[in-house]
Amino acid sequence: MKKSLMIAAALLTLAACQKKETEVKTENTVIEGQADTTSVDTDAVSDAHVPAAEPSAAEPVAAEPKTAATKAPTIEVQAAKEIKTAYASFGDKILADNALSKEAMLKKYNTLKSGDTVNVKFKTKIKDVCKKKGCWMALQLPGEKESFVKFKDYAFFVPLNASGQDAVVSGKAFVSEVSVAQLRHYAKDGGKSEAEIAKITEPEITYGFLADGVLISK
């Protein structure tokens, strides 16, 4: 009887140990399962809490340099200074100021008739000069015309090489008829050839001038 009780007690003890072991294993299993779950949850939480990478702000686009407006070059225009001509003076002292142009002088000649005279001063170029003494000049007028200038009382003469120079003359302008003989004499003094002199066969209406003062450019 006693032996049977001991066996029964041993069996109960064994059964209790087995139950406890089973419970421990079960607890371990649960714990492990919870650990796994926790691990999974931890990963999930970890993933959930990782802040999403913020999109990088767009890099500012470098502004294209503004091209400065091209300015047109400034051109300074200066008024041309009047160049004063230096003159050599012959006869009476006169000034070059307020002298008529050759165009204005021709218009004035056209208002005259033979025997008329007018006091005037005009400026033009010397076309020809007496090659012997410089006792007369031919001055240019428009349209191949010329003014034949002699000097008052033969009181002065002009340089023999004055052809082509600018001249200002002051005195009396008139219109006259020059005879063939006088024209040939003037042509000879002017150095014309015999053939050219022989071609002068008719008198000529000339624009005469008796100068009391002359300026010739130097």
Side-chain angles (χ1 to χ4, degrees):
M1 182 69 175
K2 186 176 182 179
K3 186 176 182 181
S4 297
L5 290 172
M6 290 178 65
I7 292 171
L11 290 172
L12 289 172
T13 302
L14 179 61
C17 289
Q18 289 178 349
K19 183 178 180 181
K20 186 175 182 180
E21 185 179 354
T22 301
E23 289 176 355
V24 171
K25 287 182 178 179
T26 303
E27 289 177 0
N28 288 340
T29 302
V30 172
I31 291 171
E32 288 177 1
Q34 290 176 349
D36 293 340
T37 303
T38 303
S39 177
V40 171
D41 292 341
T42 302
D43 292 342
V45 171
S46 177
D47 290 341
H49 284 80
V50 173
E54 294 182 1
S56 58
E59 295 182 1
V61 179
E64 295 184 1
K66 294 182 179 180
T67 304
T70 303
K71 294 183 179 180
T74 303
I75 301 175
E76 294 184 2
V77 179
Q78 296 181 350
K81 293 183 179 179
E82 183 179 355
I83 299 175
K84 291 187 177 181
T85 305
Y87 291 102
S89 180
F90 303 89
D92 294 346
K93 301 298 180 183
I94 64 171
L95 298 175
D97 299 343
N98 302 318
L100 297 179
S101 66
K102 61 183 179 181
E103 290 80 11
M105 189 64 228
L106 180 59
K107 289 180 180 179
K108 190 169 287 291
Y109 269 125
N110 290 335
T111 64
L112 303 176
K113 59 183 183 292
S114 183
D116 292 342
T117 61
V118 59
N119 289 315
V120 69
K121 178 170 62 176
F122 79 101
K123 178 182 177 180
T124 185
K125 282 190 176 296
I126 299 173
K127 185 177 180 180
D128 200 4
V129 177
C130 173
K131 297 298 188 293
K132 290 186 176 180
K133 295 186 296 182
C135 60
W136 56 262
M137 295 189 301
L139 301 183
Q140 291 181 2
L141 292 175
E144 298 299 320
K145 294 180 172 57
E146 63 184 34
S147 174
F148 189 78
V149 182
K150 299 177 74 173
F151 310 115
K152 185 179 180 181
D153 300 329
Y154 278 82
F156 60 94
F157 303 104
V158 297
L160 305 184
N161 62 348
S163 295
Q165 298 295 100
D166 290 330
V168 179
V169 293
S170 177
K172 294 182 182 295
F174 56 93
V175 175
S176 62
E177 181 179 294
V178 183
S179 66
V180 172
Q182 194 66 41
L183 289 172
R184 287 183 174 182
H185 174 72
Y186 293 147
K188 186 176 180 179
D189 287 349
K192 303 294 184 183
S193 65
E194 291 296 327
E196 289 175 308
I197 294 172
K199 291 180 181 179
I200 301 173
T201 58
E202 294 181 0
E204 186 178 277
I205 300 299
T206 63
Y207 302 117
F209 201 96
L210 184 63
D212 51 43
V214 175
L215 297 175
I216 297 176
S217 62
K218 295 181 179 180

